[in-house]
Amino acid sequence: MSEKKNLSQIEKIKTASDGLRGTLNESLHDEVTGAMREDDQAVIKFHGMYQQDDRDRREERAEKKLDRLYTFMIRLRLPGGFLTPEKWIAVHEIAGENSTGVIKITSRQTLQLHGILKGKIKPTIHSFSEAKLDSIATCGDINRNVLCSSHPKQSPIHEQVFAYADKISTMLMPKTKAYYEIWLDDEILVDKKEEVDPLYQDRYLPRKFKIAIAIPPNNDVDVFANDVGLIAIIENDELKGFNIAIGGGLSTTHGNTETYARLATIIGFADSEEKTMKAVYEIATIQRDYGNRSDRKLARLKYTLDRVGVDWFKEELEKRTGFALAPAKDYTFTDRKDYFGWQQNAEGLWYYTVFVENGRILDDEKVALKSALLEVAKTGKANFRFTCSQNLIISDIKESDKSNIQNILEQFAITVYTDATSIIRKNSMACVALPTCPLALAEAQRYLPSLIDKIEALLNKHALSDEEIIIRMTGCPNGCARSYAAEIGFVGTAPGKYNMHLGGDRIGERLNKMYKENLAEPEILQSLDALFQSYAKDRNTNETFGDFSLRQNWVTV
Amino acid sequence: MLTGPKLKILQDLVGSYSKEELIWVNGYISGKIDTAGTEIALQADTPARKMTIIYGTETGNSKKLATDLATKAKKINVIVKLASLDQYRLTDITKEENLFVIISTQGDGEPPIAAKKFYDHIHHNGFRLEQLKFSVLALGDTSYPLFCKTGEEVDEQLHKMGGKRMVPIKKCDVDYEADAEAWFTEVLETLHNAPAIAAPSIIKTVPQTAVKSNKKIYTANILSNINLNDRGSSKETYHMELFVEEQVDYLPGDSIGIMPENPVTVVNAIIDRTGINKNKLVKYKETEYTIFDLLKKKLNISFLHERVVKKYAAIVKQEIPETKMDLIDLLRIYPAKDATVFEEVLQALPAQSPRIFTIASSHAAHSGEVHLTVEKHNFSVNEISKTGICSDYLAQVKPNDTFEFFVQKNKRFKLPAADKDILMIGPGTGIAAFRSFISERDATGATGKNWLFFGEEHFVSDFLYQTEIQNWFETGVLSKVNLAFSKDQPENIMVHHRLLEHGKEVYDWIASGAYTYLCGEKAPMSVEVENTLLTIFENHGGFSKEAAKEYFEKLKEEGRYSKDVY
Ligand code: SRM
Ligand SMILES: Cc1cc2nc3c(=O)[nH]c(=O)nc-3n(C[C@H](O)[C@H](O)[C@H](O)COP(=O)(O)OP(=O)(O)OC[C@H]3O[C@@H](n4cnc5c(N)ncnc54)[C@H](O)[C@@H]3O)c2cc1C
Ligand SMILES: Cc1cc2nc3c(=O)[nH]c(=O)nc-3n(C[C@H](O)[C@H](O)[C@H](O)COP(=O)(O)O)c2cc1C
Ligand code: SF4
């Protein structure tokens, strides 16, 4: 059974938290600090919040005898990344009132607001709840936001598959009412039996737990980067079921050789909704019971799986579900991308995918995206979908409304902006990193744009500007922008320093490997210049940069 | 032959007198001996007499002295009526026979708020006081240009209205004890010998200069000067750490005084406009200065009092509305004909007043340094943004700069015994005094509990000394902290609202012996806080409105409520 001996601190906090209540109310009433109490900082994660502070301001504030500028980041629960226009307007307004104003699309299809002061958390969650939005379980050792291929044009039955994201998310919700009590002032639950939680019990999972659903041939969700990946098997527009992959996870820790990035292993096929749901549920219970609860660095399902072995895991799963999974079905991924600009789905509804640099929606000198989207939402004629590459799809537009939306997009120069953005930039992403992320070792979203400027020049120089090379950057080895699953990955090691990874494939079925360590910008550009040159010269037809890197043995995978 | 109190009285008397006074006293005593022959003794059996003592106070010194005098008088069977000037029924004055006024000067030569009505009453109502015998004890501070102005004016006015000076006015500097004692004795004695009194005529001729307490001037070397407010704040509050070569004589609760210098730009503007030679030597109050130094270091040239503007108008022979104005503006709008006229103007200008800053440090905790908490005054006069002279100067000083200061003792604002609990209310720069109090109690391991109320505009940018307050709270030096950030929510929440919220506990603390201190802005803050305290006494002490007031008075008398407001 799971290692009872020396449970990690977080484990003790969870079980002692009285259903994730902790001492949150006391923390909220501590007047002298903008922070939560130590243990509560772990507890609020389960409520979808992270305590952060503006790392740019630490030194200066310390000199002023001011405490760190503590604020909170709230992450919404949006299975499949979908919002109605009304909800978008709500988020827009809440962001303006209580947060930095920037609406951040994450690499897991949801939205984050940063910079919320302790005193503003309750009002913020109240407003969200009025708009029927919540942040339950978007962080913490629990099932996270469930992903699904975002673009409806990908399949006539996209909606049917998409519905699974919500069903799974609901199935794996914690039972505690703490969220409603603490943030929404519901009256205190006396009979705690009501919230007995057969899945999470009082200890929850050993670590975060991530689920994604992909609709081939596009692997836009990076399905193999998840603890559980479901690959929809569709035969002549009919959903047959799902291939189930388990044990994906990207994060590593510098200098900790026991940690590694891992792609999920396909363990079989489930041919019905009931079986699929049951399988997913029991995979979670196995991880609950067998995951490592003493060392959080080795607690994800990927380590559990490699410890117990795939065969054992399948047996145990069969025991728990009462059925055996069928052998996996064939499928093929050909892409891992967003379809920018106007697209039409089977029903004839229209979709416009907007390029959102690193998922940050605001009005800046480049483009007034935030205002534009508000205008679009106000028409009430378009839904909003978010992609796993931090972009946004203005969705489900009737033919008759298209010109109306088109006008707004033109009026705010969104179309020009999206069209004018280079292919390389559209295929790149970076994580948040500084100044809010406490774990950041180097810049990411604040730096990548300027690095891309220079890479664009290099590609130009070698006539490679049309190549759909995937570049991803993260400020630390946690890999939040999935830098290990990129053709060119940059992993921050220290301010201005990055490990450069090469050899990942284009569709997310092969991870990259470290090519060079601790590079500063000049070395990065030098290396790329040389690599691009030989790629332009010696590649085979249709050979991707990732595959070429491997053939050249720049790295060995 | 004289012993005990008598001897002391004599010693105090003699010790406190100037040379001229001693000469006079000498004559006076011998005169006494020849007449009645009976020695002056303030015996209990002497026939009863009446006296009324009224006082006008801001920080309580006058009140303390008034009470002392009353006690002394009662001892010798005098029937005493004692009243604060805001309690005193003004119409009674026409009935008074023996009236003794103890009053301080505030602002730039203005009466204490509590005495304003009385002051106006005697100045504006054309009645006579033929029957009145009176004397004035004026409290003041020689570091202010208009030393004891209010006392002088009251003395003058009562005299004008027909009152007889029973004992001449006595002007006291900040260490007023000796002077006051001497005046007491004189008063009681004269009262005792009222009919026999031949003195007045003589007395009036006697010069009554105060014993000037020459304050020690220290030189501060700036160690550091940082703006405590974060970006985006509408405030600028500077925390200054000053190193002083010699041991500075101060206790928590004391303040320092600084003579500000006028900005060179303004001084030059004035010189250019008037065409006067900046190096010309002129005399001002017995001392010679160059025009430049006089304008920069000695004179008050900004926001001149109506009184001064009037004089200016007379000199330049122009009609000027009665309002406060800067000298440069006066010169611009109502120019002085030429340099000579301007020299007249210079003589009419008041000397610069010191600016007082509460000390924010403690010897025990800050190894002899002097720390200040200085808010830069930013304000605008018809759309032109201006800054306060001294605070603007202090906001700009850099490490290694130096300036001079003196210590302004505040006897009425001191920590109680180490085992007593204290309640500190100090929004804004009021926190200065309490940073000093808490540091001191922390460093000396005082056992009493400490409760702090602080307020400002925004938690994020204006929480002055946040990290220090957090440490005191975590280590238990502060057992309670309550904060009010007025602009963090739609409704303006201030410290007095927090007091009210915690009213029950506040009352419990005070009822069980806690000492309460208030420091910071005089109006509206201190007024609101005091009204709130009264409400709390009513709500939780079960007092009637009146009883609550009395309870508050009692606390003040017992020194269990003190304030340092400005
Ligand atoms: C917002 C987001 C990056 C982005 O720019 O989009 C993000 C941001 C953060 N991630 Fe992440 N992660 C995000 C997707 C990912 C992904 C990608 C994915 O899931 O597809 C990964 C790699 C896949 C995986 O899980 O292995 C990822 C692996 C981590 C880890 C490493 C987990 C591990 O197994 O060790 C951490 C650190 C941890 O959990 O201890 C982390 C922690 C964090 C925190 C919360 C830092 C912290 O723990 O305090 C970051 C907050 C920064 C900020 O200020 O917003 N984040 N994080 C993504 C939000 C996803 C969501 O909506 O839920
Ligand atoms: C006992 C005591 C303790 C004090 N403790 C502190 C302390 O700890 N910290 C602190 O910061 N202050 C303290 N003060 C206040 C301080 O002494 C000064 O009064 C304050 O710094 C302003 O002085 P200044 O020379 O900067 O401004 P000034 O030039 O004297 O101006 C003061 C005010 O007068 C008005 N004014 C001036 N010129 C004009 C004009 N031309 N037109 C219109 N209005 C004008 C403005 O309202 C301005 O704010 C204390 C005061 C006292 C009496
Ligand atoms: C803001 C302020 C202004 C003052 N202005 C004068 C003044 O103009 N002239 C003066 O002689 N004393 C002045 N003083 C000194 C007081 O009169 C002196 O401190 C006196 O002891 C106060 O007595 P009280 O406690 O009865 O008010 C001033 C004091 C303060 C705090
Ligand atoms: S990858 Fe590292 S730096 Fe970037 S957001 Fe995630 S934890 Fe922060």
Side-chain angles (χ1 to χ4, degrees), chain A residues 15-257:
Chain A
T15 42
S17 73
D18 175 29
L20 303 180
R21 288 170 179 81
T23 52
L24 286 177
N25 280 322
E26 290 79 350
S27 274
L28 287 172
H29 287 97
D30 291 341
E31 288 180 61
V32 299
T33 171
M36 294 275 180
R37 298 178 182 183
E38 198 71 26
D39 290 3
D40 289 335
Q41 292 172 25
V43 176
I44 49 165
K45 293 187 181 182
F46 291 80
H47 298 256
M49 282 164 260
Y50 287 86
Q51 177 173 312
Q52 310 183 314
D53 78 289
D54 186 336
R55 294 173 58 182
D56 293 348
R57 305 295 324 287
R58 283 182 186 177
E59 227 173 296
E60 191 185 344
R61 284 181 61 92
E63 201 200 21
K64 292 173 171 290
K65 299 179 185 286
L66 286 166
D67 198 359
R68 286 178 178 181
L69 183 41
Y70 289 111
T71 60
F72 295 79
M73 175 266 277
I74 296 191
R75 185 183 286 166
L76 289 176
R77 188 175 62 91
L78 303 178
F82 176 89
L83 276 187
T84 61
E86 298 71 30
K87 290 183 176 183
W88 176 265
I89 293 170
V91 173
H92 179 103
E93 279 159 2
I94 295 164
E97 215 158 282
N98 295 342
S99 81
T100 59
V102 179
I103 301 171
K104 157 75 184 177
I105 306 173
T106 74
S107 59
R108 291 191 70 81
Q109 269 183 330
T110 187
L111 300 177
Q112 282 181 183
L113 300 186
H114 289 89
I116 298 162
L117 294 172
K118 188 166 77 172
K120 299 286 183 206
I121 298 177
K122 268 179 106 159
T124 304
I125 293 188
H126 263 274
S127 315
F128 275 138
S129 142
E130 274 160 22
K132 307 222 165 352
L133 290 164
D134 70 70
S135 63
I136 299 169
T138 51
C139 322
D141 300 341
I142 195 160
N143 175 54
R144 301 294 191 89
N145 198 47
V146 180
L147 309 185
C148 180
S149 287
S150 41
H151 209 299
K153 85 153 198 172
Q154 267 181 231
S155 161
I157 61 161
H158 176 273
E159 193 161 357
Q160 181 188 357
V161 178
F162 179 83
Y164 275 79
D166 205 58
K167 291 178 196 158
I168 294 171
S169 179
T170 313
M171 171 176 72
L172 301 180
M173 285 274 265
K175 300 281 178 287
T176 170
K177 298 277 171 292
Y179 184 90
Y180 303 93
E181 270 177 32
I182 294 164
W183 310 111
L184 299 170
D185 302 317
D186 285 12
E187 78 285 344
I188 312 292
L189 191 68
V190 260
D191 180 6
K192 290 276 159 63
K193 274 192 232 65
E194 281 181 46
E195 54 176 37
V196 171
D197 197 323
L199 170 59
Y200 293 119
Q201 301 164 350
D202 64 351
R203 49 190 182 144
Y204 299 86
L205 297 178
R207 204 68 165 86
K208 60 179 67 168
F209 193 78
K210 296 177 171 180
I211 301 175
I213 307 167
I215 301 177
N218 191 355
N219 185 25
D220 59 330
V221 296
D222 255 316
V223 71
F224 299 107
N226 290 265
D227 296 83
V228 178
L230 300 178
I231 300 156
I233 303 300
I234 300 169
E235 285 162 14
N236 36 47
D237 297 352
E238 202 186 306
L239 179 63
K240 295 293 175 195
F242 297 89
N243 279 352
I244 299 177
I246 62 171
L250 299 181
S251 161
T252 69
T253 305
H254 287 313
N256 182 340
T257 49

